[in-house]
Amino acid sequence: NEACLQLVFQALLVFLTIIETQWSSVSGMYCADMASTVYRPHSVTITEFGAVGDGVTLNTKAFQNAIFYLNSFADKGGAQLFVPAGRWLTGGFSLISHLTLSLDKDAVIIGSPHSSDWPVIDPLPSYGRGRELPGGRHQSLIFGSHLTDVIITGANGTIDGQGAIWWDWFYNNTLNYTRPHLVELMYSTNVVISNLTFKNSPFWNIHPVYCSQVIVEHITILAPLNSPNTDGINPDSSTNVCISHCYVRNGDDVVVIKSGWDEYGISFAQPSSNISISNITGETGGGAGIAIGSEMSGGISEVRAEGIRIVNSLHGIRIKTAPGRGGYVRNVYIADVSMHNVSMAIRINGNYGEHPDNNYDKNALPIISNITIENVVGVDVGVAGILEGIEGDNFSSICISNVSLSVRSRHPWNCSLIQGYSNSVTPESCEQLRTDCEETSICYDGGSSLAVGSRASIHNKPSANILLNSLLQLVSL
């Protein structure tokens, strides 16, 4: 019954919480020498520049003027712009280097409901056009390009994009340009986004693109489960990114890694790599807890995700690509995942998504290899997995181990055009994965190279299978 399932799932969460993970040294390497807070010797408050926090007065000029003034302190230790309690309506504005934007716990930065207050900028070179429409795209509410040492933080203050009107324009096909994100930073280094709540983004929430050394931590992201494309955190053609301790409830992917779109991403050739994701809780109406792609044409590698909890969602783990994407997804390690009421636990799709134009190369096939998923538990799961490669382009070295799922479907696995290995998978994995991980040393273990250590990790946790089997037997009662 429902109460029994809830108790079982709570037990699974406790079990995953106490599993001793190995990710910390890796993530520390990815985001070495970064501090989540920096002392700023100069500070101003937005009200000093005429801002009014009544939720009605448009404060775009106040934000722009304050940041222009603070630019004079960039070479003097940097500066802080403080946003006190209030409701601060604004259009899009741009940050500068060596700046902390800090929100009071009762501060709410509100995006204007008028599209004219969101400037239109050029498309990303790795996308070739706006993601939704040809041509330009609306600038994010908080934007920056070619910056270093930028912190966006607060005592859990709020950034609210008032996205409902944008979602209506999307559904009614009345958009003139691609919808804006809440935060987008381009070509920037040493970025921290922390201790904030993001609400009702018109499009994606947090989008670091062409960035390096990025920390996103202690973030809450909220949007209706049926809101279109309200992705949570989207590192895109970025390196050394650490995402941790976040709660996301939205309409699309919770965390999704990207790297450009078809021929534009191939030409731009800037991959996403060294991505650490940990301690994420998510609920999504139309996406996945952890996703890769489908825009992955610049390549994605060295991804490590652990401590992931997904509830009431469409997909748990998903890799999306298609002929024409080119690029690669390799060296991905996802472990210590719990799911409850998820329609499909694992999805790898080789024929997903549209193309930017008709100039893409149909023969540009993606390389998907060295994907390890282990230590996964799930209760009330619809389907264990659908794993589909591409004709003439089998996805290889897909390794699944220590996976125990309570599945509703009589046909829990459906696999085609893939090759890989499995060990201790319940229900039994598809035939293409029946070779035992114990017999091979090519399963990626989450380090910097292929390692036989993956075999040891499977057998160093005998208590995992004992507990999982006991809990799953309880579910069947």
Side-chain angles (χ1 to χ4, degrees), residues 73-143:
F73 299 104
D75 60 350
K76 302 178 180 65
Q80 172 180 274
L81 174 57
F82 179 68
V83 181
R87 296 177 58 81
W88 310 91
L89 183 69
T90 182
F93 60 91
S94 297
L95 305 181
I96 56 173
S97 294
H98 309 294
L99 176 73
T100 297
L101 175 64
S102 179
L103 278 65
D104 180 85
K105 66 180 179 62
D106 295 318
V108 184
I109 294 178
I110 306 171
S112 169
H114 303 293
S115 63
S116 58
D117 292 325
W118 303 67
V120 176
I121 60 176
D122 290 337
L124 294 169
S126 58
Y127 283 71
R129 47 160 275 188
R131 185 58 186 84
E132 297 183 285
L133 295 167
R137 61 201 182 97
H138 284 286
Q139 177 185 296
S140 61
L141 185 63
I142 300 174
F143 179 76

Side-chain angles (χ1 to χ4, degrees), residues 204-206 216 219-221 225 229-235 243 245-257 277-292 307-318 320:
W204 306 345
N205 279 268
I206 299 172
V216 180
I219 291 294
T220 297
I221 294 175
L225 293 175
N229 311 111
T230 51
D231 298 16
I233 304 164
N234 293 24
I243 302 165
H245 296 92
C246 297
Y247 173 81
V248 180
R249 185 180 188 273
N250 63 350
D252 211 320
D253 297 325
V254 171
V255 177
V256 56
I257 305 168
I277 305 164
S278 66
N279 297 307
I280 305 296
T281 298
E283 178 179 0
T284 167
I290 300 295
I292 295 175
I308 312 300
R309 297 164 179 82
I310 306 301
V311 299
N312 306 326
S313 297
L314 184 61
H315 296 97
I317 299 163
R318 192 173 195 187
K320 304 174 280 188

Side-chain angles (χ1 to χ4, degrees), residues 160-383:
D160 187 344
Q162 296 200 108
I165 191 168
W166 294 92
W167 307 332
D168 287 343
W169 292 334
F170 169 78
Y171 284 126
N172 295 329
N173 296 312
T174 55
L175 289 168
N176 294 317
Y177 302 97
T178 293
R179 287 172 285 160
H181 314 304
L182 280 185
V183 173
E184 180 180 74
L185 296 175
M186 303 173 56
Y187 304 107
S188 297
T189 62
N190 292 305
V191 172
V192 176
I193 303 172
S194 67
N195 299 296
L196 291 168
T197 294
F198 292 82
K199 293 176 61 177
N200 301 320
S201 178
F203 201 37
W204 306 345
N205 279 268
I206 299 172
H207 186 220
V209 57
Y210 321 139
C211 290
S212 63
Q213 298 294 110
V214 178
I215 292 176
V216 180
E217 62 183 8
H218 301 292
I219 291 294
T220 297
I221 294 175
L222 303 172
L225 293 175
N226 63 351
S227 56
N229 311 111
T230 51
D231 298 16
I233 304 164
N234 293 24
D236 194 341
S237 291
S238 293
T239 60
N240 297 332
V241 179
C242 295
I243 302 165
S244 67
H245 296 92
C246 297
Y247 173 81
V248 180
R249 185 180 188 273
N250 63 350
D252 211 320
D253 297 325
V254 171
V255 177
V256 56
I257 305 168
K258 300 177 180 288
S259 70
W261 199 9
D262 284 7
E263 70 269 28
Y264 302 103
I266 294 171
S267 175
F268 195 73
Q270 184 158 335
S272 283
S273 63
N274 292 353
I275 312 291
S276 169
I277 305 164
S278 66
N279 297 307
I280 305 296
T281 298
E283 178 179 0
T284 167
I290 300 295
I292 295 175
S294 72
E295 307 90 340
M296 40 63 66
S297 303
I300 296 171
S301 68
E302 317 307 327
V303 176
R304 188 177 180 102
E306 296 189 75
I308 312 300
R309 297 164 179 82
I310 306 301
V311 299
N312 306 326
S313 297
L314 184 61
H315 296 97
I317 299 163
R318 192 173 195 187
I319 297 174
K320 304 174 280 188
T321 187
R325 290 289 192 264
Y328 56 85
V329 176
R330 63 185 180 221
N331 294 358
V332 174
Y333 179 83
I334 302 173
D336 299 336
V337 180
S338 67
M339 305 181 193
H340 181 216
N341 190 26
V342 171
S343 297
M344 189 178 304
I346 302 169
R347 180 78 163 106
I348 299 178
N349 190 342
N351 191 24
Y352 179 93
E354 66 279 0
H355 303 279
D357 51 41
N358 293 324
N359 297 321
Y360 71 95
D361 180 1
K362 296 178 176 63
N363 296 315
L365 300 180
I367 299 171
I368 311 298
S369 64
N370 301 339
I371 313 296
T372 295
I373 299 171
E374 66 177 8
N375 303 330
V376 179
V377 295
V379 173
D380 195 17
V381 172
V383 175

Side-chain angles (χ1 to χ4, degrees), residues 302 331 443-451:
E302 317 307 327
N331 294 358
C443 288
Y444 181 63
D445 73 340
S448 59
S449 62
L450 299 181

Side-chain angles (χ1 to χ4, degrees), residues 137-154:
R137 61 201 182 97
H138 284 286
Q139 177 185 296
S140 61
L141 185 63
I142 300 174
F143 179 76
S145 183
H146 295 91
L147 305 182
T148 188
D149 180 23
V150 176
I151 298 174
I152 305 170
T153 190

Side-chain angles (χ1 to χ4, degrees), residues 435-457:
T435 303
D436 198 319
C437 295
E438 294 180 64
E439 300 172 8
T440 179
S441 61
I442 73 167
C443 288
Y444 181 63
D445 73 340
S448 59
S449 62
L450 299 181
V452 296
S454 59
R455 298 203 307 268
S457 68

